[in-house]
Amino acid sequence: MDLRSRRWGRAVLLVVVLLAGLLIATPATAAAPGRQTHTGVLGGAAFRVETPEHWNGTLVLYSHAYFSAGLPIPPEVWLANRKETEHWLLANGYALAASDYEGRFGFAVEPALRDQIAVLDWFERHIGKPRRTVASGMSMGGGIAVLLAERNPRRISGVVATCADIDHLAPYNMSLDVTFALRTLLASDEDIDLVLADDPAASTEALLGVIERALTTPEGRARLTLAGAFGNLPPWRHAHHAPPVSLVDRIQQQAAWASSSSSALGPAGRADLERRAGGNPAWNVGVDYGRQLARSSQRNLVEEAYRAAGLDVRADLERLAAEPRIAADPWATGYMYRYAVPHGITPAPVLTLHNTGDGGASTDQENWYGAQVAARGGGDRLRQVFSARGNHCAFSGAEEIVSLQTMFARVETGRWPDTGAEALNSAAAKFGPEYHVVTNFGDFADKVMEPSFVSFSPSPLLRGSR
C-alpha cells in the first residue's frame, strides 16, 4: 500500500514514474559504452529494458509499487527499488526489464500480470531468451512478482519480494476495520462513507481530520490505538530513528500509519479498486472486534493507552459490536481472488524482505504467506528476511543487492546460501557508503545507515484471505 505526500502521515511510499507515449519500441540507444537502452509501449503500457555490456544470461523483471496520482514524476520506468541497485546489476552483467503497467496509477495488479509478461515476450524476441528470469518487486509490486511466478512457472526462475503486500485483499479489509473504528468511536455524528463513497476525497479528508483531533486528548489517543490495533499498525514510523519510547510518541507514530491507511486504502484510495473490481470487495460482516484485539500485536499498547485515559476498552468494543456492518459485493471479492490473492504454491523459490516496523504493508503478510507455502509443502522454497527499521520499503541498495544475490545463488546452485542476519549484514557491509543510503518515505530524507538485517517473527495476519 502506497500513499500520498501532502501530509507526512499519508506519504509512505510512492514516487511515480512516467514515460513518453510511443507507439512502438524505440531503436536501441546507447546508455553507456556497450550498454543498450530500449523503451516503448506494449499494449498501452510503457516499458524499459536495459542490457549490460556483457550479459550473463540472467534477466531481472521488476514490478513497481502502487502509484498515486499527484506525486512528482520521475522521467523513466524504474528497474529496481533503488538506483544504486540498478547500476550495480548492469555493471555485473544482469539485464533489467519492467513495464509501467497500462494506466500506471492505482491498483494495477490485473494489467501488471499481463503487461510484465508482454515485456518478457518482447525481451525474448529482441534480445534473447534468458537462461533465468528473476522477478523482483516493491510493495504492491512484490505481490505482483509472487503472482507472476505462480502463473508462469516455466518462465520465472526465482522471486525477490520486498516490503510486499502479498495477500492484496487483506489490507483493504484491515483498513476497513481501522476506518470503521475511527468513524464509530470518534466521528459517529459525521457523514463519512467508508466504501463506494459519493465524495471519496471529502470522506478521506474527514477521516484525516478525525485522527488529527483525536491526537490532542488522552481519550482520543486511546481510541486511535484501538483502531490501529485492528490493522496491526506498529508504533514506529521513522526509518532513521529508533522505536519511540514514550506512550504519546508511540501513539503519534501509530496514528501516522492510520493516516496513511485512511488515505491510501480508505475512501479515496479504494475508489480505483472499486472501479476495477466493479464494486466493493471488502467487508466487516461477522468480524468480532474483541477477538481481533485479543489477537492483535498492538494489544498491550491499547491497554496502556486506555489506562492512561481512564477509559474502559470493553465499552468501546461494545459500541463497535452494535454498529451496522458493511458487506462486500461478491463479484468484487471474486475479482480479488482471481487476480490478487496468491495460492502459495511457489513453483519458483521466493525470498521476501520486510522492515520490522512497516505499517504500509504489514509484516503479518509474511506470516500469512509462510503458512500458505508450508501448507502446500514448499517450505524449502521460501526464505523470509527482515530489516530492523520503521517505515515502508526503507532499504538500502546494499540490502536490496544482497537479497538479489541470495536469490541468484539459489537459482544457480539449487541451494540456499546462509540467510541468517549475521551473514546478510556481513555481505551488505562490503559495499561502499553510497550503497547504504536509506530513504524515509514521508519526508523523503536520505541517511547513510548500517545494514540492519535481524531475526524476527511476524505476528499473524488478522484478516488473511485464505
Side-chain angles (χ1 to χ4, degrees):
M1 51 180 109
D2 314 296
L3 316 166
R4 297 157 138 193
S5 62
R6 194 172 74 105
R7 302 178 188 222
W8 188 85
R10 282 187 249 179
V12 171
L13 178 240
L14 297 313
V15 185
V16 182
V17 294
L18 180 66
L19 272 175
L22 305 176
L23 295 178
I24 58 173
T26 60
T29 56
R35 292 185 184 174
Q36 296 293 316
T37 298
H38 308 263
T39 60
V41 169
L42 295 168
F47 76 94
R48 178 178 160 220
V49 169
E50 298 278 356
T51 55
E53 184 173 0
H54 301 292
W55 183 33
N56 62 18
T58 296
L59 171 67
V60 178
L61 181 66
Y62 180 76
S63 297
H64 71 66
Y66 184 111
F67 289 163
S68 294
L71 292 179
I73 301 174
E76 60 188 7
V77 175
W78 278 11
L79 297 173
N81 296 352
R82 297 198 63 88
K83 203 69 175 176
E84 306 95 88
T85 304
E86 177 185 326
H87 294 327
W88 185 91
L89 288 168
L90 286 168
N92 285 273
Y94 297 92
L96 310 177
S99 168
D100 215 15
Y101 320 150
E102 183 180 9
R104 185 174 297 112
F105 301 107
F107 190 79
V109 174
E110 178 189 358
L113 297 175
R114 175 193 67 236
D115 295 337
Q116 289 287 68
I117 295 303
V119 173
L120 182 54
D121 291 340
W122 185 95
F123 188 97
E124 292 184 355
R125 288 195 305 269
H126 293 88
I127 307 299
K129 185 175 177 62
R131 287 191 302 115
R132 295 178 177 86
T133 298
V134 171
S136 70
M138 172 186 190
S139 195
M140 180 183 77
I144 290 169
V146 169
L147 289 163
L148 285 171
E150 287 197 354
R151 291 165 178 250
N152 304 275
R154 293 180 178 161
R155 305 191 72 179
I156 305 298
S157 307
V159 175
V160 176
T162 57
C163 49
D165 266 330
I166 302 176
D167 176 356
H168 288 288
L169 176 56
Y172 286 92
N173 271 330
M174 291 169 72
S175 178
L176 179 59
D177 292 336
V178 172
T179 56
F180 179 81
L182 290 173
R183 186 181 69 177
T184 301
L185 301 178
L186 294 166
S188 58
D189 58 344
E190 295 188 42
D191 183 16
I192 301 175
D193 293 327
L194 301 183
V195 301
L196 300 172
D198 293 332
D199 188 340
S203 288
T204 298
E205 287 297 318
L207 285 168
L208 296 173
V210 167
I211 294 169
E212 289 183 357
R213 292 192 300 273
L215 283 169
T216 63
T217 67
E219 296 80 9
R221 290 193 292 269
R223 290 177 172 127
L224 285 178
T225 66
L226 181 58
F230 299 138
N232 265 352
L233 301 178
W236 188 15
R237 175 61 183 269
H238 205 291
H240 301 161
H241 300 159
V245 175
S246 77
L247 176 61
V248 171
D249 287 345
R250 282 181 285 150
I251 294 173
Q252 287 175 336
Q253 294 205 26
Q254 188 196 49
W257 284 126
S259 292
S260 296
S261 179
S262 299
S263 179
L265 302 177
R270 68 178 64 223
D272 172 74
L273 171 59
E274 292 167 344
R275 176 184 61 80
R276 295 175 188 270
N280 164 41
W283 71 93
N284 69 345
V285 175
V287 174
D288 181 338
Y289 285 108
R291 184 170 181 270
Q292 294 295 83
L293 176 60
R295 297 174 59 224
S296 175
S297 63
Q298 302 308 312
R299 177 181 177 180
N300 290 342
L301 178 64
V302 172
E303 292 174 347
E304 186 178 351
Y306 269 76
R307 283 196 303 270
L311 296 178
D312 183 355
V313 70
R314 291 172 297 183
D316 282 344
L317 290 171
E318 289 172 2
R319 290 174 63 187
L320 292 170
E323 187 72 7
R325 301 307 179 89
I326 295 169
D329 296 317
W331 56 89
T333 304
Y335 173 92
M336 296 297 283
Y337 278 102
R338 285 195 303 277
Y339 294 110
V341 181
H343 294 277
I345 56 177
T346 55
V350 178
L351 176 80
T352 65
L353 170 63
H354 229 109
N355 292 127
T356 57
D358 191 342
S362 169
T363 59
D364 311 341
Q365 289 265 354
E366 307 293 358
N367 185 304
W368 177 86
Y369 184 60
Q372 302 303 303
V373 171
R376 288 156 182 80
D380 190 53
R381 289 181 172 267
L382 175 65
R383 292 293 184 272
Q384 296 175 301
V385 299
F386 297 89
S387 170
R389 291 197 192 99
N391 213 274
H392 183 48
C393 305
F395 308 114
S396 68
E399 289 164 339
E400 182 182 10
I401 292 166
V402 166
S403 299
L404 287 163
Q405 287 178 319
T406 300
M407 181 52 63
F408 297 151
R410 172 63 175 81
V411 167
E412 289 288 340
T413 68
R415 298 184 302 275
W416 289 104
D418 189 348
T419 56
E422 183 177 353
L424 296 174
N425 284 326
S426 177
K430 295 176 182 177
F431 288 85
E434 68 274 19
Y435 287 95
H436 294 282
V437 176
V438 174
T439 300
N440 180 63
F441 291 103
D443 58 10
F444 293 94
D446 287 337
K447 182 180 179 180
V448 174
M449 303 187 74
E450 293 183 356
S452 64
F453 289 104
V454 66
S455 178
F456 179 76
S457 297
S459 301
L461 185 63
L462 294 179
R463 294 268 250 131
S465 298
R466 288 196 172 92

